[in-house]
Amino acid sequence: MADLKIFQKTLGELSTNCYIMVNHDTNECIVFDPADEADVLKEIFNSPTFQLKGIFLTHGHIDHIGAALALKEAYNVPIYASKEENEQVLMKVGVNLSAMFGNPMTIDADELLKDGQQLEIIGTTLSCILTPGHTAGGMCFYCEELKSLIAGDTLFCESVGRTDFPTGSGRELERSVREKLFILPDDTKVFPGHMNMTTIGWEKENNPYF
């Protein structure tokens, strides 16, 4: 079993949780939702103990993607996102909210992921779970080896992501959480896009939206 760990950095105006998964046996790592403050992240990835191999986006809102292009350019690594998110959100400044925040940008992901896809990277396996609702192509990433879920803005501690932005749907979000996330083991640690960590079991019992 690889020596895997997940580190959290909270970045940007909206206090977005960016996560770094590192394999300490190989010093390879991947980053989820590099929200902002590229210089802060570069200080980490310039270290030989954090060799960046990929950038994963749970969804395309500007507060989750702000530093992605800078990291891609600096380390020549691919950006991963769901096919649906790439087409409907990442490529549109009005939908990814970047125009609203005065920083219009688009991203064309290098690797387009499908629901249920199993991805081998940095010595572990990520399960790609399409969870529309917050956005049309939101995707959560489950690492069975760590019993951990990178949830983006789909599921929070005792809350869920808002659904009033373009491509959002409350009905789809509820279905995504119930049918795709609540089937994971109760002891699965949930790493959300904002606020504190939680577990699947806690949310099944205490989340007022369900």
Side-chain angles (χ1 to χ4, degrees):
M1 184 173 177
D3 183 8
L4 294 167
K5 287 187 173 60
I6 297 175
F7 296 91
Q8 174 184 325
K9 294 289 291 185
T10 302
L11 304 168
E13 295 180 14
L14 299 183
S15 298
T16 302
N17 293 332
C18 165
Y19 297 105
I20 300 166
M21 182 183 293
V22 59
N23 182 338
H24 285 300
D25 292 332
T26 63
N27 295 329
E28 296 178 326
C29 69
I30 52 179
V31 63
F32 299 88
D33 292 353
D36 200 356
E37 302 178 57
D39 289 345
V40 171
L41 293 171
K42 286 179 182 179
E43 287 185 13
I44 298 171
F45 301 134
N46 285 341
S47 163
T49 55
F50 285 87
Q51 298 172 19
L52 187 62
K53 297 299 179 181
I55 300 163
F56 286 78
L57 305 179
T58 62
H59 65 289
H61 286 159
I62 185 61
D63 63 313
H64 288 253
I65 67 173
L69 292 177
L71 296 181
K72 171 183 166 66
E73 180 178 356
Y75 302 101
N76 191 30
V77 295
I79 295 175
Y80 297 79
S82 79
K83 182 177 184 293
E84 293 83 354
E85 195 73 356
N86 198 59
E87 294 172 351
Q88 299 184 49
V89 182
L90 284 168
M91 297 291 289
K92 300 179 179 180
V93 296
V95 181
N96 67 29
L97 310 182
S98 61
M100 178 190 302
F101 282 84
N103 181 29
M105 64 181 291
T106 60
I107 290 178
D108 188 5
D110 303 288
E111 301 288 342
L112 302 181
L113 304 172
K114 298 178 181 179
D115 187 29
Q117 182 172 343
Q118 301 285 304
L119 189 67
E120 302 289 333
I121 193 165
I122 67 164
T124 192
T125 303
L126 293 181
S127 298
C128 304
I129 307 171
L130 190 66
T131 52
H134 181 62
T135 58
M139 182 166 274
C140 298
F141 300 98
Y142 176 59
C143 179
E144 183 177 11
E145 191 170 351
L146 285 176
K147 296 185 177 180
S148 297
L149 179 78
I150 308 296
D153 287 1
T154 296
L155 181 64
F156 297 136
C157 182
E158 300 182 13
S159 188
V160 293
R162 54 192 291 182
T163 59
D164 57 337
F165 289 131
T167 79
S169 166
R171 182 177 297 178
E172 286 292 319
L173 183 65
E174 180 180 355
R175 182 181 297 116
S176 291
V177 174
R178 286 190 186 277
E179 297 181 2
K180 294 190 170 184
L181 301 188
F182 280 179
I183 64 172
L184 296 172
D186 283 354
D187 61 350
T188 300
K189 296 182 288 291
V190 178
F191 294 82
H194 302 273
M195 301 182 291
N196 298 327
M197 279 180 53
T198 183
T199 66
I200 290 295
W202 180 265
E203 296 311 307
K204 286 163 69 174
E205 295 293 329
N206 298 282
N207 195 309
Y209 288 89
F210 301 97

